[in-house]
Amino acid sequence: MTGVLVLAGTPIGDVSDAPPRLLTELATADVIAAEDTRRLRRLTQALGVTPAGRVVSYFEGNEVARTPELVEALRGGARVLLVTDAGMPSVSDPGYRLVDAAVNAEIKVTAVPGPSAVLTALALSGLPVDRFTFEGFLPRKSGDRSRQLAEIAAEPRTMVFFEAPHRIAETLAAMAEAFGADRPAAVCRELTKTYEEVRRGPLDELARWAADGVKGEITVVVAGAPPAAPKEYGPAQLAELVAAREEAGERRKEAIAAVAVELGLPKREVFDAVVAAKTARQ
C-alpha cells in the first residue's frame, strides 16, 4: 500500500481559523514537510498539538532535492502532510513539484481546505467575483513587470495579485500606467489579523496612498478591463468586408450572411450596403 500526500491549508493570520482536520493531520501524520519548521512549531504550540511524526523542511531552496525523499516515503506507505507558512501549498508557495511527482508515481493526493488570501481578498474587494484570475507575484524588475502587465491589460476577469510591502507603491503605479489610472482596485492588507485593512479606489489613488509606506502581507485585487465599445461599420465598410470574402471564393449570398453573423447585424443591413456600393460605382 502506498501512502497519501495531504496538502493542508494553514491560517493566513488568525490561528483560530485553523480547521479541525488540520489539528488531526498535524497530530497523526508520519511525516510533516513544512516550509519553515520554526513557523510550524509556533503554529502547533498555538493549536496545542504535538506532532507524532518526523518534521522536515520543504522550501524553495531544497524542494528539488527533498521531493524524491518524500516520494520514497509515500511509496513506503507514509502519510505525508505538506504545509506552508500560510494558506494552501503550491499557491505561490512550495508544493507543486511534490504534487506533480506524487501524481506521476500514482500516489493519492488529498487536501485539507483552509484559509485562502486569494479568496478572502476577492470577497472583500467589492469587485466582481463571478470570474477571476490569480496572477501571483509580478516580476521584480520594472521592465519585466511592465511587459507582463501590458500582456494582461485587456483581461476582462477580476485579477488577484500578491505583492511585498516594499514594492507595493511601485507596483500600483505600474498597474495604473498599464491598466489606466481610473481602473478600480482594492489593496487588502494583513487579512484576518489585528490590523486588517482593505483600501478600495482607482489605481492612481491607491498608488498615491501607498507612496507613504505600507506594512504587512498584501493582496491586490484589480477589476478586469471594461468591454470594448463595438466598432461602428458604415455601408462602405460593410461592402468592403463582403467584397473581400467574395474575392476569397465565397458566393455573395454566403459572404453577406457571414459578415452579418460576424458583426451581429441584420443580413438586410449588409445586403443594402452591398447594393448601395454597387449603385455608387455605376
Side-chain angles (χ1 to χ4, degrees), residues 6 8 10-12 59-60 65 80 97-99 112 114-116 148 151 174 200 203 207 212 237 247 254 268:
V6 183
T10 54
I12 59 177
F59 59 98
E60 185 178 358
V80 176
R97 193 184 301 274
L98 180 56
V99 172
V112 177
S116 165
Q148 185 164 325
E151 290 175 1
R200 306 175 183 86
L203 281 168
D212 293 331
Q237 291 172 306
E247 291 174 6
E254 295 170 346
R268 185 69 192 184

Side-chain angles (χ1 to χ4, degrees), residues 8-25:
T10 54
I12 59 177
D14 192 331
V15 176
S16 64
D17 288 336
R21 277 184 59 204
L22 174 61
L23 278 68
T24 301
E25 293 290 349

Side-chain angles (χ1 to χ4, degrees), residues 209-220:
W209 162 75
D212 293 331
V214 181
K215 296 180 180 180
E217 300 288 334
I218 297 170
T219 305
V220 180

